């Protein structure tokens, strides 16, 4: 941390480097609390040597041991503005693909919300446990559009489960929030994709777009957790080998959404 005048504040050194546990994203809320995300894994050899499958996620003098499953798992840690440790949430579960190189979950992005918690976007393999100690979980059904699905969920300020989750079959790469708490997600538009966020669990046929891989897409999910809309940006009609990709999304004044990306051809307006 650096203060506004450039003077030094504090540094936290993550002890999970050998477990692949570096900090990949960072965001700050209105209370000056800091949220960092990353991925960590404990190998079978390390577990055998240490006698435990637990990793310590507290980089301060304290200890916060969390049990891992052996495959890479995404996590989010919260720190207060003075550098003190608050909590860590590991997004664990089990996967159909049991190779040690296939992650159970990965975090793509984190954004602070007005309620003091965070919203996040990530990927998961097969089954994700969202509420440790309870029965809440997210399972990817036997549907080719949902394999290696993505998810969006909310975590409260105290680290507890925020009460809702969306299963996303698309390859979303970025998301942003507006002043009302709505989420905007962007990514590539796959052939015959289904962009209703509830499709992976309900197999709803609403908001289905049939197209070649030729466009980026922008999806809105309302602050309440309900589906808003999806807008594809056409670029290469009837071309199954090239496609446009929505790389980043940002929200500006008036809650207007701005999307940037790349396209192998001239892009068309959203429909």
């Amino acid at each position: 941390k650096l203060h506004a005048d450039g003077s030094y504040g504090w540094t936290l050194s993550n002890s999970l480097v050998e477990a692949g546990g570096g900090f990949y994203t960072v965001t700050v809320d209105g209370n000056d609390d800091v949220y960092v995300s990353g991925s960590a894994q404990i190998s079978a050899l390390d577990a055998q040597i240490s006698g435990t499958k637990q990793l310590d996620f507290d980089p301060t003098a304290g200890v916060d041991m969390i049990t891992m499953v052996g495959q890479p798992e995404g996590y989010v840690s919260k720190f207060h503005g003075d550098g003190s440790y608050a909590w860590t949430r590991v997004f664990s579960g089990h996967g159909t693909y049991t190779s040690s190189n296939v992650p159970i979950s990965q975090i793509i992005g984190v954004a602070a919300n007005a309620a003091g918690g965070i919203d996040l976007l990530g990927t998961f393999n097969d089954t994700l446990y969202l509420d440790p100690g309870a029965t809440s979980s997210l399972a990817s059904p036997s549907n080719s559009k949902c394999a290696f699905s993505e998810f969006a969920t909310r975590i409260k300020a105290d680290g507890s489960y925020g009460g809702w989750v969306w299963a996303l079959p698309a390859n979303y790469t970025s998301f942003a929030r507006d002043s009302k708490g709505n989420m905007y997600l962007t990514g590539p538009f796959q052939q015959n994709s289904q962009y209703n966020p509830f499709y992976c669990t309900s197999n709803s046929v609403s908001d289905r777009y049939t197209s070649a891989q030729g466009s980026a897409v922008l999806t809105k999910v309302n602050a309440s957790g309900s589906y808003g809309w999806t807008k594809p940006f056409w670029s290469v009609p009837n071309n199954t080998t090239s496609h446009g990709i929505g790389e980043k999304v940002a929200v500006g004044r008036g809650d207007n959404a701005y999307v940037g990306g790349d396209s192998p051809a001239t892009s068309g307006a959203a429909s």
Side-chain angles (χ1 to χ4, degrees):
K1 176 181 179 178
L2 297 179
H3 299 294
D5 61 1
S7 60
Y8 177 74
W10 46 260
T11 296
L12 293 172
S13 178
N14 194 321
S15 61
L16 301 174
V17 175
E18 293 184 359
F23 297 151
Y24 299 155
T25 70
V26 59
T27 189
V28 182
D29 66 16
N31 298 317
D32 204 31
D33 293 323
V34 182
Y35 301 86
V36 296
S37 71
S39 178
Q41 175 185 14
I42 186 167
S43 68
L45 178 59
D46 289 338
Q48 182 179 6
I49 293 174
S50 63
T52 179
K53 288 187 176 181
Q54 293 185 324
L55 292 175
D56 181 12
F57 283 84
D58 186 349
T60 67
V63 175
D64 187 8
M65 303 296 291
I66 298 178
T67 300
M68 311 297 287
V69 300
Q71 294 171 249
E73 298 170 78
Y75 71 90
V76 176
S77 294
K78 177 180 179 179
F79 300 90
H80 298 299
D82 61 1
S84 59
Y85 177 75
W87 47 258
T88 291
R89 283 295 306 269
V90 174
F91 294 86
S92 187
H94 67 268
T96 301
Y97 302 90
T98 57
S99 167
S100 61
N101 295 323
V102 177
I104 290 292
S105 63
Q106 291 180 310
I107 307 302
I108 297 174
V110 178
N113 59 52
I118 55 172
D119 295 340
L120 61 87
L121 175 68
T123 66
F124 73 101
N125 170 17
D126 193 13
T127 301
L128 184 71
Y129 303 139
L130 295 165
D131 193 3
T135 58
S136 176
S137 64
L138 180 65
S140 178
S142 56
N143 184 314
S144 62
K145 302 302 181 186
C146 296
F148 291 101
S149 294
E150 295 184 1
F151 71 97
T153 191
R154 175 166 292 172
I155 302 299
K156 297 180 181 179
D158 62 1
S160 60
Y161 174 54
W164 52 256
V165 64
W166 310 309
L168 306 168
N171 297 318
Y172 290 106
T173 56
S174 173
F175 81 100
R177 291 169 45 86
D178 66 17
S179 62
K180 299 179 181 65
N182 302 310
M183 291 180 67
Y184 298 83
L185 306 98
T186 191
F189 183 55
Q190 303 293 340
Q191 185 176 17
N192 298 327
S193 285
Q194 166 57 259
Y195 284 94
N196 185 324
F198 299 99
Y199 176 66
C200 276
T201 52
S202 69
N203 289 322
S204 168
V205 296
S206 63
D207 286 284
R208 183 183 179 90
Y209 296 95
T210 301
S211 171
Q213 295 180 342
S215 61
V217 69
L218 178 67
T219 292
K220 178 182 179 181
V221 182
N222 301 318
S224 64
S226 62
Y227 176 67
W229 43 255
T230 293
K231 300 293 184 181
F233 296 81
W234 311 110
S235 58
V236 191
N238 301 319
N239 185 334
T240 59
T241 60
S242 301
H243 58 88
I245 299 176
E247 296 284 3
K248 296 293 182 181
V249 58
V251 178
R253 182 179 301 177
D255 290 338
N256 297 308
Y258 299 83
V259 179
D262 61 74
S263 171
T266 302
S267 296
S271 61

